[in-house]
Amino acid sequence: EIVLTQSPATLSLSPGERATLSCRASQSVSSYLAWYQQKPGQAPRLLIYDASNRATGIPARFSGSGSGTDFTLTISSLEPEDFAVYYCQQRSNWLVTFGPGTKVDIK
Amino acid sequence: QVQLQQWGAGLLKPSETLSLTCAVYGGSFSGYYWSWIRQPPGKGLEWIGEINHSGSTNYNPSLKSRVTISVDTSKNQFSLKLSSVTAADTAVYYCARGKIAVAGTGVRSWFDPWGQGTLVTVSS
């Protein structure tokens, strides 16, 4: 099973600041990693697939990068609606795993 | 635009069977894997398993012995049954459309869209 580790667990920032979230895989997942945003009481929403492709309707301030075992989700300038929990996800050997999440909260 | 709507019993007693159904509106049912994913209160996401339109399934090994996912293509619906539930199965359960593509160096995979979620509480 591939284990995903996310850091930091919590990121405290102000609106307008840049957010950099990390996801590390226990073994290579090539470039096949997805990112989701979840707000309280809501289902997760797909942000990024294949490490760097924005999903339909996702603002350009969200970007993803990385390959192999190290991946980054960057929010270039935080909007008030971006304060949420972010998860990474991968699939290997027909088993899907998610990272534990990074909470981005208001400083 | 594809929408997923789910329903099922929200309160169970230990040893009972959890049963949820998810209906798919506005899109093709074939060409995707349809998943169930759960989230215990205050915790992260756990993939339960999936099914495609022809009935082929994949399950999380940690739950495989208790999980059955089925499909009704005539209604564009798929369902989850989880037997012998305990308090540890208390969670919000989501259905989701999964995109899977086997590539040369791995498996492309993501979930979009998701259902609204159903809180299932197991308590005596």
Side-chain angles (χ1 to χ4, degrees):
Chain A
E1 174 182 335
I2 293 181
V3 177
L4 298 177
T5 304
Q6 292 186 244
S7 62
T10 303
L11 193 55
S12 297
L13 295 168
S14 300
E17 288 193 295
R18 182 183 188 89
T20 303
L21 289 67
S22 173
C23 177
R24 177 164 291 178
S26 60
Q27 54 188 284
S28 177
V29 297
S30 188
S31 60
Y32 307 133
L33 188 96
W35 289 93
Y36 302 85
Q37 176 194 67
Q38 186 178 34
K39 298 178 182 179
Q42 296 184 16
R45 176 175 72 145
L46 176 68
L47 297 176
I48 300 286
Y49 64 94
D50 290 349
S52 61
N53 294 314
R54 275 190 303 277
T56 302
I58 301 303
R61 63 181 181 273
F62 291 92
S63 63
S65 63
S67 64
T69 60
D70 291 305
F71 299 85
T72 300
L73 174 69
T74 301
I75 310 171
S76 59
S77 179
L78 283 163
E79 297 287 340
E81 62 268 28
D82 298 338
F83 292 93
V85 179
Y86 294 83
Y87 295 96
C88 55
Q89 172 255 316
Q90 67 82 39
R91 173 190 292 265
S92 67
N93 294 327
W94 298 100
L95 176 61
V96 173
T97 58
F98 292 88
T102 289
K103 183 178 182 179
V104 179
D105 65 15
I106 301 176
K107 187 175 181 179
Chain B
Q1 183 177 355
V2 177
Q3 293 187 336
L4 277 61
Q5 185 171 352
Q6 58 183 100
W7 64 89
L11 181 61
L12 297 173
K13 296 186 185 324
S15 80
E16 292 184 335
T17 295
L18 178 157
S19 181
L20 298 173
T21 298
C22 183
V24 180
Y25 300 102
S28 172
F29 203 69
S30 61
Y32 297 94
Y33 270 82
W34 302 91
S35 274
W36 290 97
I37 297 160
R38 70 179 183 179
Q39 184 172 39
K43 297 189 178 180
L45 300 163
E46 179 182 34
W47 179 74
I48 299 170
E50 66 193 0
I51 192 166
N52 68 3
H53 70 285
S54 61
S56 177
T57 55
N58 296 300
Y59 297 133
N60 189 322
S62 67
L63 296 166
K64 186 174 184 177
S65 63
R66 298 193 293 131
V67 173
T68 301
I69 297 176
S70 59
V71 65
D72 184 341
T73 54
S74 67
K75 296 180 179 179
N76 276 14
Q77 294 177 1
F78 62 107
S79 298
L80 168 69
K81 291 191 185 299
L82 180 66
S83 63
S84 306
V85 297
T86 69
D89 295 310
T90 293
V92 176
Y93 287 75
Y94 295 101
C95 58
R97 184 180 72 174
K99 179 64 177 180
I100 303 172
V102 178
T105 54
V107 182
R108 305 173 66 204
S109 166
W110 60 88
F111 299 99
D112 179 54
W114 296 55
Q116 79 275 20
T118 300
L119 174 61
V120 177
T121 302
V122 181
S123 174
S124 55

